[in-house]
Amino acid sequence: MNTATAAAVDPRSFKSFPEFYPFYLGEHSNRTCRRLHFVGSTLALLCLATAFWRGAGQYFVYALLCGYGFAWVGHFVFEKNKPASFKRPLYSFMGDWRMYADIWAGRIPF
């Protein structure tokens, strides 16, 4: 999905996650953007594990910074679009983890 088409679609118009997910993938057509999401999500998981292992709450903040920071750089710098999380935060969060699993499974190219 190109930027012009994506801009014409309001992410709030989707009534279910299965409807939303193809749109979400279209917003991540740039490979570098997907890679940055993947790296950010992996670092976020490591931060969460560290938070539990060490009992250090600041790692929850680090997890958010890693997850969203890498993703937003991917969108603003490489994909040249605005993250869907601004209008559809829950579906976008779900989409990120679904895409993460799909990349691990080889269904989406890394």
Side-chain angles (χ1 to χ4, degrees):
M1 182 176 295
N2 67 36
T3 306
T5 304
V9 176
D10 183 353
R12 294 173 290 202
S13 67
F14 298 105
K15 303 295 182 215
S16 68
F17 179 72
E19 277 181 31
F20 174 81
Y21 190 57
F23 167 79
Y24 181 86
L25 291 178
E27 295 283 79
H28 298 83
S29 60
N30 180 281
R31 191 172 210 166
T32 303
C33 181
R34 284 195 311 273
R35 287 176 174 173
L36 285 168
H37 273 68
F38 187 85
V39 169
S41 295
T42 301
L43 290 173
L45 288 174
L46 291 172
C47 287
L48 290 174
T50 302
F52 287 111
W53 180 58
R54 288 187 165 183
Q58 75 265 24
Y59 284 93
F60 288 111
V61 174
Y62 301 157
L64 289 172
L65 291 173
C66 287
Y68 285 105
F70 277 80
W72 288 356
V73 167
H75 283 287
F76 292 123
V77 176
F78 296 98
E79 194 77 55
K80 308 273 195 248
N81 64 13
K82 193 184 293 185
S85 60
F86 292 162
K87 292 189 176 182
R88 204 59 191 222
L90 179 60
Y91 282 177
S92 294
F93 183 77
M94 292 166 59
D96 191 44
W97 292 109
R98 169 80 182 275
M99 183 173 71
Y100 185 78
D102 286 346
I103 290 171
W104 269 116
R107 291 186 288 269
I108 295 174
F110 179 73

